[in-house]
Amino acid sequence: MSKVKIPAHRIVFTEKEIDDFQKAAREILESGWMILGKYTEQFEKEYAALHGRRYGIAVASDTAAIEIVLRACGIGEGDKVLFPANGFYGVVIPVLRCGAVPVFFDIDWDENVFAHEDTIRKALDEHSDVKALILMHTGGLVASRSRQISDLCEERGVLCIEDAAHAPGALQNGEYAGSFGDASCFSLYATKPINSGEGGMILTDDERLDELARVYRNYGRTATFGGSICKYQGYSWRLTELQAALGLGQIRRQDEIRKEREELAARYDKLIEPLLEAGIEKYQMAPGSQPNWYRYLMLLPKGWTLDKKDELKRLVRTNASVEIPGDVYEMPIPFQPVWEGKFDHLEFPVAQEWGDRHFSLPLYNTLTEDEQKIVVDAVLNAFKKLDVMKKVR
């Protein structure tokens, strides 16, 4: 009997979404208008409206979105930008490309894997010349102190940019991810709960930022079409009409998608009892959280290491054909090999422990209860095997 294959992710589109996209694709192809047309415009309007923002600017990726906002807001050579130590290196790339300097702080993982405002206040006191903060929402959760941190940034005159790549549709204390910063940046990458295959979105209430972002995404050209005069250092950061059409179908189902994932998470809540009894914990999110369940986060016991966690994933994959989703994130940004030891003198013990201990269970909208049981059994068997080996040693 062949083994059940359960992937870490599965992209799910409804029959209606597929039908609507096919009609839109035909219209787009017949018109010959492939970029910056009516589908992009409609997608931007609906995405912004859903999150209570005035403006939406569709771009090529979340990474592009962050760089556009940084450049449009004047962040440049030598400017300091605050980052959580736990995050994705791709978010630092735009800062480096602008010539700015990343400054890292450790996380408070009880604050939905970001930081308490006191942590940010301390970092701002230590680096009084900081120009911007990346407010990062991780694993489908909104940073629990987002409103307080946003207010603190406004008080200090610090640009607050939300990296909401993981958090479309997620809320904290009734407010959507994307509601807090001077600008917020989303990912439309294929694995995200709301996706267009690839792409990103900028949301803002700032009219000037909206105008500049549209220029930056098109090489910095002063004319959208028919002109080649470049006033700003932009790039090819556009979203296509086909991607916008696909994204429209997703954004119109955002609440439905979140509800489906909530139901899957609630089912896991009942099924993971054997994991809890064995010593694995479910991550306890902060009060007021309404995640989009991009990740169903679990915690291994204290003392586990990244290497041992990788071995757990390998056993689950080998013995049960179950793929464990990628971590968020397994290694603090400053310790990534790309830095070549630049930050080795620094310590980020909370981010380090988070990377060592957390993992996720597969969760996508067509996951069945039987498949969820297979996932739980596979993790339990692998955990027990490794735990026994640890005790023997």
Side-chain angles (χ1 to χ4, degrees), residues 100-156:
V101 180
V103 176
F104 299 102
F105 57 87
D106 206 357
I107 60 170
D108 302 305
W109 90 24
D110 291 342
E111 305 295 342
N112 285 353
V113 204
F114 188 69
H116 193 282
E117 70 265 29
D118 289 345
T119 301
I120 304 303
R121 184 177 287 105
K122 181 180 178 182
L124 292 175
D125 288 342
E126 291 177 356
H127 304 275
S128 58
D129 54 348
V130 160
K131 295 293 181 68
L133 164 75
I134 303 295
L135 177 57
M136 189 173 291
H137 306 313
T138 300
L141 295 162
V142 181
S144 57
R145 301 281 178 156
S146 291
R147 178 54 59 198
Q148 295 93 326
I149 291 169
S150 175
D151 290 346
L152 175 61
C153 286
E154 184 176 5
E155 174 190 320
R156 296 291 185 94

Side-chain angles (χ1 to χ4, degrees), residues 8-9 295 313 324-328 330 358 360:
H9 304 280
R295 290 284 194 269
K313 293 181 182 180
I324 297 296
D327 295 329
V328 289
E330 67 268 39
H358 86 278
S360 305

Side-chain angles (χ1 to χ4, degrees), residues 182-203:
D182 296 290
S184 49
C185 303
F186 291 81
S187 173
L188 299 167
Y189 180 63
T191 62
K192 301 300 187 289
I194 302 297
N195 81 88
S196 60
E198 183 64 276
M201 184 71 72
I202 301 168
L203 300 183

Side-chain angles (χ1 to χ4, degrees), residues 104-287:
F104 299 102
F105 57 87
D106 206 357
I107 60 170
D108 302 305
W109 90 24
D110 291 342
E111 305 295 342
N112 285 353
V113 204
F114 188 69
H116 193 282
E117 70 265 29
D118 289 345
T119 301
I120 304 303
R121 184 177 287 105
K122 181 180 178 182
L124 292 175
D125 288 342
E126 291 177 356
H127 304 275
S128 58
D129 54 348
V130 160
K131 295 293 181 68
L133 164 75
I134 303 295
L135 177 57
M136 189 173 291
H137 306 313
T138 300
L141 295 162
V142 181
S144 57
R145 301 281 178 156
S146 291
R147 178 54 59 198
Q148 295 93 326
I149 291 169
S150 175
D151 290 346
L152 175 61
C153 286
E154 184 176 5
E155 174 190 320
R156 296 291 185 94
V158 173
L159 177 69
C160 181
I161 303 174
E162 284 180 82
D163 177 23
H166 292 183
L171 301 97
Q172 180 65 32
N173 296 324
E175 295 184 277
Y176 274 113
S179 302
F180 304 100
D182 296 290
S184 49
C185 303
F186 291 81
S187 173
L188 299 167
Y189 180 63
T191 62
K192 301 300 187 289
I194 302 297
N195 81 88
S196 60
E198 183 64 276
M201 184 71 72
I202 301 168
L203 300 183
T204 186
D205 294 323
D206 187 320
E207 184 177 5
R208 178 59 175 163
L209 176 54
D210 172 60
E211 293 172 354
L212 284 174
R214 296 178 189 282
V215 173
Y216 272 100
R217 74 175 173 188
N218 194 34
Y219 290 105
R221 293 192 293 191
T222 53
T224 303
F225 296 106
S228 299
I229 305 300
C230 296
K231 186 176 180 180
Y232 302 98
Q233 192 172 332
Y235 198 68
S236 177
W237 283 320
R238 299 174 299 266
L239 194 73
T240 69
E241 283 286 270
L242 290 169
Q243 289 170 304
L246 191 61
L248 266 172
Q250 288 271 282
I251 199 67
R252 288 167 179 170
R253 284 206 316 118
Q254 178 165 286
D255 289 343
E256 178 186 339
I257 290 170
R258 187 181 65 229
K259 183 178 179 182
E260 291 172 351
R261 298 176 79 94
E262 284 174 351
E263 291 172 355
L264 289 167
R267 203 156 66 195
Y268 264 138
D269 287 345
K270 297 176 182 177
L271 294 173
I272 62 169
E273 189 62 34
L275 299 182
L276 304 182
E277 291 174 356
I280 299 175
E281 304 170 37
K282 180 187 173 185
Y283 175 68
Q284 298 301 312
M285 64 191 76

